[in-house]
Structures are given as structure tokens and as C-alpha cells.
Amino acid sequence: RQIAGQHIIPKLGRIRLSQLTPAHVQGMLNERLATGLSPRSVQQIQAVLRAALNHALKWELVARNSAALVTPPRVARKEISPFSPEEARDFLIAIRGDRLEALYTVALAVGLRRGEALGLQWQDFDYDERGEGSITVRHALQRINGNLVLVEPKSTTSRRTVPLPSFAVEALLAHWKRQTQEQLAAGAAWQEEGYIFTTTIGTPFDPANVTKYFKKILNSAGIRDQRFHDLRHCCASLLMVQGVSPRTVMEILGHSQISLTMNTYSHVIPELKKQAIAQLDCLLAPQERTPETPVSTPVGVNSGVIEIDLVTRATTIQEETPADAGVKSMSRVGIEPTTPGLKVPLTRMSS
């Protein structure tokens, strides 16, 4: 509805459906692109018009779908380079104590879009005495015709409930206390609208100002430049590298299709392949060892037995020395000498 009212109706609203041609639609898209709209935004305009004309086609109001016959602008795929785990930790340290610390923390923790985060209200935040919490995305905040308004999420799957990590719950609770203090300080000037992230008088936070403050924090902390939206990419990349299934990542982000998730974060796929092969190696490689296989060590060993755990590959060396009639045990990686595993005779080596 927003796209139709802002872009389609003003340009094509006076043309009768029966007279609408692909040339009309193509001209409107070209004009929108010339005004400075991004190719992706122009694609969304075409998609809305195409969906509307499909309904008209079913009702036999038009003989063809003119929006389906035009060439949309090509969207250049941007290379995604989100925060590394180290950079993400540095960022969380840099925002400590900042008035919008909770906003940045939640956006990074669960990959919220900027409008989704700013559209959150306190009724969307739920937590219990155990410290477990979640947020429900019901709206997004956008500036339309000069006014900040709540709109429907980007897609039906964008409306979602997402569990929060404990550090994000703590950040939100601290933010609630800060906001309560600001409300008391503002007195009669406070405008209660229920938003979690507000100005110092309770009004919705302008998305453009959030981006400005975000950039300022990065610059002050010496952290490489990112867009606010890159916090979302960081969340998704870290989840996938940790082995979280793409289906789960898709649901957390609110993507409409799993192919969108996989295509957007294809830069993570090589790392996932490496992890998969490493897991396969860990599973299968130990089976190639046999009890008769001698194992040499880089330090001097007289005689004894080495125990190898088939799962962790940790070793325990039981060494006999001439000066000790008993058995001296040396354990590695925290594995006790009694760990069951594969016992292999040690070969004699000089240090």
C-alpha cells in the first residue's frame, strides 16, 4: 500500500487499466530510477504492480500483465564484509554505556533490520525471572511523506518472535531503567507512545539519526566503517559459521525463502565446507589407526604405553623410567590417564 501510494498511483493512476501498456510501466520505472531510488527499490515497485495486475488478469479486467513484460533495473550485488567475531566484541565494548547500547546490541544479537528495531514497543519484549527473553517483530518504523509511521513488516515471515541471548536481555532491562529516568526528567514534555527506543522525550527515533550516531561510535572507537544493516549480516554470518542450520538462520532473520538466505550469505559457504570436512575427518580418520601402529613422540621416551582417545584424539602417556620401578603418568588436554582409548607401544627415541 505504501509503495502504491507513493510511487505507482501518482504516475499511473490516471491511465485506465485497459489502456495500460508495458511502455507506461517501463517509463514509470525508469523515471523512479532517475530520481535517485535504488535499483532494488525500483524492483520492489515493479513487484507490487505485477502482483496487482495478476489479480486484474484473473478477474479479466486486463488482457495481459504489462508489469510482467518490462525489464527491471539490474541490482548490482554488493560484497558483504560484516564484523569478524573479534570486531563484534570490540563493538560491544565500544557501545557500553551509550544511550543506544541496547538498540545496537539487539540488532547485532538477532539480526533485526533498522526499521524493525526502531518499531519495537515494550509490549513486544517478553522475559521471565530466569533471565530468558524474546522479542516479537510486529511492525517497522519508516519515514513516509515526512512523518514517522509504523508499517507492516517487509514480508509475512518478517513478523516473527525471536529468542534473545542473555546479554541482549540484560541490555534491554538496563535500557528500560535509563528510559524511566529520562521520563522523570522530561516531566510533562514526555510523550508516551510505548516505543523501546525513543528520543529523550519519548518520541520515535528517526532512522537517519540512528545511522548518524552509529557511524560516530565506529569512528570514535577506531572500528572499520559499516552500515547499520551490516549488524544484521554479522549476526547471520556468525550463526552460520557456528553450524546453525540455514533454515534456523532464515527464521531468525525473517527471510521469506531459504534461497535468499543462502544467496545472501554465500561468502560463508567456503568456511562451512571446511568445517564439514573437518568433522568428517574427525569421525572417520581415527578408524584407520590400528593397535600395531607405532607412535613416535618428539621428546625422549624410554618405554611405556600411549593411550589415544578415538574421539578427542587426546593422549595419555604412561612412561616407565629406569630410575622408577613404577609407572609415571603424564596427561594432555585435561584427559586423565584412565581415559579409555587405543593403547599403542611407544618406540624408543632420543631427545
Side-chain angles (χ1 to χ4, degrees), residues 17 19-26 46 49-50 53 62 64-70:
L17 275 177
Q19 298 176 343
L20 185 66
T21 66
H24 289 130
V25 178
Q26 188 71 64
Q46 184 210 10
L49 181 57
R50 185 175 63 243
L53 291 178
V62 294
R64 62 182 179 179
N65 188 335
S66 296
L69 301 176
V70 301

Side-chain angles (χ1 to χ4, degrees), residues 60 72 81 126 135 141 162 185 192 214 219 274 306 312 330:
E60 298 182 353
S81 180
D126 185 34
I135 55 170
L141 185 71
V162 186
E192 182 57 53
F214 173 69
N219 184 60
K274 292 179 182 178
I306 181 171
T312 66
M330 298 183 297

Side-chain angles (χ1 to χ4, degrees), residues 295-299 306-309 312-317 329-337 339:
V295 177
S296 298
T297 61
V299 297
I306 181 171
E307 292 185 5
I308 305 175
D309 189 289
T312 66
R313 298 188 183 181
T315 62
T316 299
I317 302 174
S329 296
M330 298 183 297
S331 59
R332 298 176 56 195
V333 201
I335 304 297
E336 296 299 324
T339 301

